[in-house]
Amino acid sequence: MNTTTSPQVISQEDLLRHWLGHRNLTRRVIEAFPEKDLFEFSIGGMRPFAALSIELLSIGGPALKSIVSNEATPYDESGSALTTKEQILQKWDEQTDVIKTYFNQIPLERFSETFNLFGQYEFPIIENIFYFIDNEIHHRGQGFVYLRALGIEPPMFWER
Amino acid sequence: MNTTTSPQVISQEDLLRHWLGHRNLTRRVIEAFPEKDLFEFSIGGMRPFAALSIELLSIGGPALKSIVSNEATPYDESGSALTTKEQILQKWDEQTDVIKTYFNQIPLERFSETFNLFGQYEFPIIENIFYFIDNEIHHRGQGFVYLRALGIEPPMFWER
């Protein structure tokens, strides 16, 4: 982990902690779905929350790995043929560990450098990372509506 | 604006640009709602998107002002009695200007200092600011579901 003593907007350590807090909350949203609804319930033709979770599983960990190894690996959801809530939660925890491992291996000076994510999205690494987090918040917000529509109280947004 | 030449996760300038990109997208989501649905449509007993927008209008700008002046002003939605889409969009643009003005006045060394937001939420300023952005993404994600349920295609998530 790089450290610096000069003032900064956010440290690498705190940004990781911020993301992990979001992942905890998303995990609780997955848990809150009844098994069947996780895979089947949807509104307005959108994907069920299991499919949104599998998208998230195919982004954060794999993307960080490819950033650290500096290889533009293509986007791939095929490794995540998950058919039960338990499998999704298990994969979620595995990928959280992947994120913890790789995030700290990004040298601080690389955050402002561009990286061609999945061989498709050429942006500064910090923008890629914000995309991982923001996309998770975005889809989880959709999950909150699904839960409400199912008559289930979602977890508190600020509980991380 | 504080600047530093040492490597950092994100600069103050880039974090503001990131937030303003999100505000552009949220503005387009407000615009995408038919007038009546903006104020009335909801799913699962949640608030209509106008009410969510008014919450967002009562957080970002007012909160930054109070951070800069270092005064813990209480949370207050009463100043935002907005009853048309046009009024909400106008207020949105006004508050975007407020955010542009005040964000740059936060000294870099204050981001890690705690501030008692609205006299209630005592957290480091960077966490407060992430809350403003994340809460906007979260509610906008809900807005995407409302639009889909209404048969309206939302804007692209990555268009900012």
Side-chain angles (χ1 to χ4, degrees), chain B residues 48 59 84 91 122 125:
Chain B
I59 295 180
T84 68
K91 182 88 175 179
E122 181 106 38
I125 286 173

Side-chain angles (χ1 to χ4, degrees), chain A residues 112-132:
Chain A
S112 57
E113 292 174 10
T114 61
F115 178 73
N116 191 14
L117 185 69
F118 302 129
Q120 286 187 76
Y121 309 102
E122 180 106 40
F123 293 108
I125 286 176
I126 181 61
E127 288 186 29
N128 282 325
I129 291 171
F130 273 141
Y131 177 80
F132 311 154

Side-chain angles (χ1 to χ4, degrees), chain A residues 127-143:
Chain A
E127 288 186 29
N128 282 325
I129 291 171
F130 273 141
Y131 177 80
F132 311 154
I133 301 172
D134 296 349
N135 187 52
E136 176 172 338
I137 300 168
H138 173 70
H139 285 318
R140 190 181 58 213
Q142 299 175 354

Side-chain angles (χ1 to χ4, degrees), chain A residues 6-12 15 18 22 43-44 46 108-109 111 126 130-131 134-135 137-138 141-142 144-145 148-149 157, chain B residues 6-12 15 18 22 43-44 46 108-109 111 126 130-131 134-135 137-138 141-142 144-145 148-149 157:
Chain A
S6 56
Q8 51 190 329
V9 171
I10 188 164
S11 69
Q12 186 166 352
L15 182 57
H18 177 72
H22 276 300
I43 292 175
M46 303 181 87
L108 190 52
E109 54 276 15
F111 280 83
I126 181 61
F130 273 141
Y131 177 80
D134 296 349
N135 187 52
I137 300 168
H138 173 70
Q142 299 175 354
F144 270 57
V145 185
R148 289 279 184 196
F157 179 65
Chain B
S6 57
Q8 51 189 331
V9 171
I10 188 164
S11 69
Q12 185 166 353
L15 182 57
H18 177 72
H22 276 300
I43 292 176
M46 302 181 88
L108 190 52
E109 55 275 16
F111 279 83
I126 181 61
F130 273 141
Y131 177 81
D134 296 350
N135 186 53
I137 300 168
H138 173 70
Q142 300 175 354
F144 270 57
V145 185
R148 288 278 183 199
F157 179 64

Side-chain angles (χ1 to χ4, degrees), chain B residues 6 13 20 31 34 39 42-43 45 58 63 67 75 79 87-88 91 100 108 117 124 139 144 148 156 160:
Chain B
S6 57
E13 203 174 349
L20 294 176
E31 274 187 305
F39 289 89
S42 88
I43 292 176
S58 310
I67 287 170
Y75 179 74
Q87 286 173 349
I88 292 180
K91 182 88 175 179
K100 282 183 194 165
L108 190 52
L117 185 70
H139 284 318
F144 270 57
R148 288 278 183 199
M156 295 295 187
R160 307 286 160 84

Side-chain angles (χ1 to χ4, degrees), chain B:
Chain B
M1 171 88 50
N2 293 279
T3 55
T4 168
T5 50
S6 57
Q8 51 189 331
V9 171
I10 188 164
S11 69
Q12 185 166 353
E13 203 174 349
D14 286 344
L15 182 57
L16 174 59
R17 188 180 312 126
H18 177 72
W19 187 5
L20 294 176
H22 276 300
R23 287 187 66 85
N24 278 340
L25 177 57
T26 305
R27 192 187 197 283
R28 283 209 297 282
V29 172
I30 297 168
E31 274 187 305
F33 274 86
E35 181 85 26
K36 189 174 186 302
D37 293 318
L38 181 61
F39 289 89
E40 294 178 12
F41 184 79
S42 88
I43 292 176
M46 302 181 88
R47 288 169 289 170
F49 200 65
L52 299 176
S53 305
I54 289 167
E55 177 189 304
L56 300 175
L57 287 170
S58 310
I59 295 180
L64 278 187
K65 262 193 205 175
S66 68
I67 287 170
V68 168
S69 65
N70 221 350
E71 286 171 20
T73 322
Y75 179 74
D76 179 17
E77 283 191 8
S78 65
S80 303
L82 307 170
T83 54
T84 68
K85 177 155 79 168
E86 197 44 48
Q87 286 173 349
I88 292 180
L89 290 172
Q90 196 186 325
K91 182 88 175 179
W92 193 264
D93 294 337
E94 272 174 39
Q95 290 300 307
T96 297
D97 286 340
V98 168
I99 289 167
K100 282 183 194 165
T101 302
Y102 286 93
F103 192 92
N104 290 341
Q105 292 180 33
I106 306 172
L108 190 52
E109 55 275 16
R110 282 198 66 204
F111 279 83
S112 57
E113 293 174 9
T114 60
F115 178 73
N116 191 14
L117 185 70
F118 301 131
Q120 286 188 76
Y121 308 102
E122 181 106 38
F123 294 107
I125 286 173
I126 181 61
E127 288 188 28
N128 282 324
I129 291 170
F130 273 141
Y131 177 81
F132 310 154
I133 301 171
D134 296 350
N135 186 53
E136 177 172 338
I137 300 168
H138 173 70
H139 284 318
R140 190 182 58 213
Q142 300 175 354
F144 270 57
V145 185
Y146 289 6
L147 287 175
R148 288 278 183 199
L150 289 164
I152 297 165
E153 174 100 12
M156 295 295 187
F157 179 64
W158 55 85
E159 270 178 30
R160 307 286 160 84

